[in-house]
Structure formats: C-alpha cells, structure tokens
Amino acid sequence: MREIHPQDLEDIAVGAAILGTGGGGDPYIGKLLARGAIEANAPVKMISLEELPDDAKVVTCGAMGAPTILIEKIPSGEEMLMALRHYEDVTGETVTALMPFEAGGLNSCLPIVLAAQTGLPLIDADGMGRAFPQLEMETFNVYGVKAAPVALADERGNLAMVEADDAAKAEFLARGLCIRMGGQVCLVNYPMDGATAKRVSVPATMSLAQDIGRVLREAKREKKALLPTLIDFLSTTHYGYAKLLGSGKISDIERKVENGWSVGVVTIVPFDDSEPYKIRIQNENLLLEQSGEILAVVPDLICVLDIDTVEAIPTERLRYGQRVDILGIRVPEIMRTPEALAVFGPGAFGIDADYVALGGA
C-alpha cells in the first residue's frame, strides 16, 4: 500500500500526462482538485490488486468529454462524489473500492479526489493503461465486464443513469448526455467484484505514473539527460519498451470538436527538414506516420513531449512552433491480445493498418 499526499501529486500529474498520450484531460486541473481534496480530508490509501479483497465492491471512475472544453469549463470537484452517490442510490449497492477507468491525464487525478472525499481505497490499476477516447475501449469490456450502469454528473448537479446491454451502446448513450451536459461530465461505471478486477485490469498504472514523475524529477536534480533516463526506466516496467520516434517543430494543427471529441491532425517538421511527421488525434494521439510509413499506432502510446523539459503536451495545448520529441511506448501484454486489439486496435478507429507492436514483441 502507498499513501498519496499532496506532495506526491506533482509526480503523478507528470507521469499521468505521459500515459495520457495527449488526452485524458489536462492533469494540472486534476492535480489542483486532488490537492484540495486531500488537504480537506486525509491522504489517500492506494492498494495493489493483490491487496484488494476478492469480495470488494469496485466501481471505476473518471471524466468524459473533449479535453479542450476543460480549459474553460472547470470542474467543481464535487461531480465525482455526486455520480457515486447517484450510482449507490439507484443500485442499492455500497461501493468499497475505487479504480480509475483510464490512467492518463486528468483521469489519474480525479479518482484521487473521490478517494479523499469518501475515505475509500484507490486501486493501483485501470482499464486502459493509457487514455482512450471511448468508454468501451477498456480491458474490463474486453474480458467480460459490463460497462453499465453508468452514473453521470456535471458541475451544476445534473444527474443521469445509463443502462445498456453492451459497452458500445453505453458509450453512445453516455456521449449524447455528455454533449448535452456541456461536453464534460464525471461518471462512475464498470461495477465488478475484487476477484474480477484482478483478472481484467491493467496493473500498477497509478504507481507507474507516480514513478515516471519521480524519475524525471530526480534526473533533473542530478542533471541527467531526461529522455534517455525515462526510456531506460520504462524498459524496466511491465510496459517493457520505449523509443524516441522523432523530433521536430510543430508546423500545423488541424483541430475541432466533433461528436464530443477533439479530433484533428498535427504536422511536425523534423529539424533536418526531411518529410514531416503526421499525428492523427481523437482526444489522444492515435497514429504517427511519415511519408506514408506508419511509425506507431494504437494501442501503443504516442507521446508528444516538450524537447527541453520532457513534459507531455496535451493535444489541446499543442501550438505552432513548439519544439517536441515524439516518444513511443509499447502497451502491456494484456492490451495486445487479439480480443483487446478488436476493441481498441487500429481498426476500432477506422485506421487501415495492422497493429505491429513497438519493439517487435
């Protein structure tokens, strides 16, 4: 078990932004909300899957919507708690443990807020191992857990509950509600017991986010080369492989909000003026190609990092002229099975390409 204190949140936010692959919401906002919740209540107890009782009543939680909207539509900090209480009131269940449904960005920090507010333990795991734009793109769904019921709440106290037979339909209905609630909501979903959580979750993603932040912080203090240090560290984790895929300057950004997602294409010109890199975005970075050659594709992580600080740049904060590195990270094995690739591989995003794992594994 780890305890999460206010001083730990900076490391978690730095690591969560990298795991967010450009999406998941800006962790800076989540960090501020989590700090306030911990200071007002108590440190959060984070437990491993191995420490979770088999009969625990688990729900997953996080935010849904287009990350660009968060720049102006700031959460109140009470949405997650309202969604949880609505879920419990409607279902009659009493939740005993919480888990993020995605490890990236804001959605690594918002579950900390809810854990601090309720005193419930936070499980060191998630269902994406990164950030994805759709609710059905979870290992929970891949391995047989129902997404519904899904409880939603917005900053004005509006509540909704979605019941659906499958995760894709739950996504479709919840996305429509999200758009009508201002394009950004908090939600609770994927109820399961502890034994199931151990079988279907991507392990140790919250602690990985914290450790990424710690490794980079210590490397800065010791004046080590930041990106090589990060790549070396990631090779020792259950992700197993990371690689610098390219570097350059952002020369063009096409971006819009469409059907509740931030979508677009980012063009990055290499410093040697060779053919530009193109990154396709749907909240997160999905595909990296150069001259028609695919260099990385979902579910592997494609992270756009500030070339000097190695801090991840969320898609909504990408700007013309930024100098960046493009880091690729291979996902854990639980996310590379045929069943998983059918749900969140290239074909799920309309990308006509076979998935080839980074590093060839």
Side-chain angles (χ1 to χ4, degrees):
M1 184 190 75
R2 295 189 187 190
E3 281 197 346
I4 300 176
H5 296 262
Q7 61 267 28
D8 300 317
L9 296 172
E10 187 66 41
D11 287 345
I12 292 172
V14 169
I18 290 174
L19 294 180
T21 65
D26 190 339
Y28 175 75
I29 296 169
K31 177 183 68 176
L32 297 181
L33 292 171
R35 177 178 291 123
I38 292 174
E39 290 176 346
N41 295 281
V44 168
K45 293 180 172 57
M46 184 167 68
I47 62 173
S48 67
L49 286 169
E50 291 75 21
E51 294 171 300
L52 180 67
D54 285 349
D55 61 353
K57 293 185 181 298
V58 179
V59 294
T60 71
C61 51
M64 178 189 216
T68 47
I69 291 173
L70 275 173
I71 295 174
E72 296 184 1
K73 188 175 183 281
I74 306 297
S76 71
E78 299 298 320
E79 296 93 332
M80 296 284 292
L81 185 58
M82 289 189 289
L84 176 65
R85 297 305 182 220
H86 188 52
Y87 169 85
E88 291 181 324
D89 288 345
V90 173
T91 65
E93 298 282 349
T94 299
V95 173
T96 62
L98 305 169
M99 179 163 43
F101 59 65
E102 72 177 351
L106 176 77
N107 279 333
S108 284
C109 296
L110 282 183
I112 297 173
V113 176
L114 185 57
Q117 291 169 332
T118 60
L120 294 175
L122 182 66
I123 303 167
D124 182 14
D126 81 307
M128 294 185 178
R130 45 162 294 157
F132 280 125
Q134 295 171 224
L135 286 183
E136 75 269 26
M137 295 175 174
E138 304 267 3
T139 54
F140 313 137
N141 175 41
V142 169
Y143 300 112
V145 179
K146 287 186 63 177
V150 182
L152 301 89
D154 68 11
E155 78 284 359
R156 298 181 181 276
N158 297 308
L159 302 170
M161 182 74 89
V162 170
E163 292 282 0
D165 291 335
D166 61 70
K169 178 61 73 173
E171 154 68 32
F172 176 77
L173 296 171
R175 187 71 55 178
L177 287 166
C178 175
I179 292 169
R180 286 155 184 80
M181 295 167 83
Q184 187 74 38
V185 295
C186 288
L187 52 83
V188 164
N189 62 356
Y190 283 104
M192 67 189 91
D193 60 28
T196 302
K198 295 174 184 179
R199 177 177 61 84
V200 302
S201 305
V202 184
T205 45
M206 288 293 293
S207 57
L208 176 61
Q210 184 176 359
D211 290 344
I212 288 172
R214 173 187 55 79
V215 165
L216 288 174
R217 173 172 49 81
E218 292 174 350
K220 289 177 184 177
R221 186 183 65 223
E222 297 167 8
K223 294 182 169 50
K224 293 181 178 178
L226 297 180
L227 188 57
T229 299
L230 175 61
I231 289 172
D232 288 346
F233 168 71
L234 288 168
S235 70
T236 69
T237 71
H238 53 305
Y239 283 62
Y241 184 85
K243 179 183 179 181
L244 176 63
L245 299 174
S247 303
K249 184 174 75 172
I250 295 177
S251 64
D252 188 52
I253 305 168
E254 301 173 28
R255 183 171 49 208
K256 61 183 176 179
V257 177
E258 183 178 275
N259 296 324
W261 294 295
S262 295
V263 299
V265 176
V266 177
T267 302
I268 300 170
V269 176
F271 295 124
D272 62 4
D273 289 325
S274 57
E275 288 297 308
Y277 302 105
K278 299 278 188 178
I279 298 178
R280 176 176 158 184
I281 293 170
Q282 183 182 331
N283 284 10
E284 289 76 40
N285 304 317
L286 302 180
L287 171 72
L288 172 67
E289 57 184 345
Q290 184 182 38
S291 301
E293 178 188 358
I294 294 175
L295 304 182
V297 67
V298 287
D300 285 343
L301 285 70
I302 302 165
C303 312
V304 179
L305 310 178
D306 181 279
I307 202 165
D308 295 315
T309 66
V310 193
E311 292 184 2
I313 306 174
T315 55
E316 67 270 24
R317 297 193 184 276
L318 293 171
R319 299 290 184 270
Y320 172 83
Q322 287 172 325
R323 293 160 55 87
V324 299
D325 285 326
I326 308 168
L327 177 68
I329 306 172
R330 187 177 65 207
V331 292
E333 188 173 350
I334 190 174
M335 300 178 66
R336 291 184 271 131
T337 64
E339 300 94 329
L341 293 176
V343 174
F344 45 66
F349 298 92
I351 298 171
D352 185 17
D354 293 330
Y355 170 69
V356 178
L358 288 169

